[in-house]
């Protein structure tokens, strides 16, 4: 079985607030750690049937970029759910609702105005 390792390195200030985030993957094109301003990591705990999450962002993450990050994350969650649903018609309806919400979020937060 092929394996890949994903590494996260978070630099913290004296109050444990993230100042830097870098990530790398053994399966990536570059061995160099790449910078990031924010991250959402969600894992499914099969034993306890719940999710475990880590949400971090650096002090210098601009609010307008955070809004865009949330918008794109919700959109990609819809994409992932669609791929995992196996063509379930109810899932497709719910995903359509989620995409409608994404459009509403983008409008209210003026996410796509700068594009």
């Amino acid at each position: 079985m092929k394996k890949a390792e994903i590494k996260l390195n978070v630099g913290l200030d004296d109050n444990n607030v993230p100042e830097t985030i870098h990530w790398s993957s053994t399966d990536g094109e570059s061995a160099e750690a790449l910078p990031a301003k924010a991250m959402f990591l969600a894992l499914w705990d099969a034993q306890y049937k719940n999710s475990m999450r880590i949400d971090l962002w650096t002090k210098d993450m601009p609010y307008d970029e955070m809004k865009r990050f949330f918008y794109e994350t919700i959109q990609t969650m819809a994409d992932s759910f669609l791929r995992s649903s196996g063509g379930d018609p109810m899932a497709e309806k719910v995903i359509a609702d989620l995409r409608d919400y994404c459009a509403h979020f983008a409008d209210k937060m003026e996410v796509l105005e700068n594009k």
Side-chain angles (χ1 to χ4, degrees):
M1 170 176 40
K2 182 179 177 180
K3 292 186 178 184
E5 185 174 278
I6 298 170
K7 293 183 181 182
L8 296 165
N9 186 309
V10 180
L12 304 172
D13 69 9
D14 292 337
N15 296 315
N16 291 327
V17 175
E19 289 187 321
T20 61
I21 300 172
H22 287 85
W23 71 278
S24 62
S25 170
T26 58
D27 202 28
E29 293 179 18
S30 172
E32 182 180 335
L34 301 171
K37 295 272 185 194
M39 63 171 266
F40 295 148
L41 175 64
L43 303 167
W44 181 250
D45 184 328
Q47 179 181 356
Y48 293 104
K49 305 288 189 242
N50 65 4
S51 60
M52 300 176 291
R53 300 172 32 105
I54 299 172
D55 303 335
L56 297 175
W57 55 93
T58 60
K59 290 192 245 184
D60 62 342
M61 174 74 169
Y63 180 56
D64 62 326
E65 289 181 20
M66 183 60 96
K67 293 186 298 185
R68 179 68 181 246
F69 182 47
F70 268 79
Y71 167 75
E72 290 186 10
T73 299
I74 296 167
Q75 287 281 41
T76 58
M77 288 174 62
D79 296 340
S80 295
F81 191 69
L82 182 60
R83 286 193 310 272
S84 70
S85 70
D88 176 7
M90 182 56 71
E92 291 180 15
K93 290 178 184 174
V94 171
I95 290 164
D97 290 343
L98 185 53
R99 292 201 192 284
D100 287 345
Y101 172 73
C102 284
H104 172 75
F105 178 88
D107 181 52
K108 293 294 182 186
M109 299 303 288
E110 299 177 344
V111 170
L112 302 177
E113 297 294 317
N114 298 326
K115 197 170 184 184

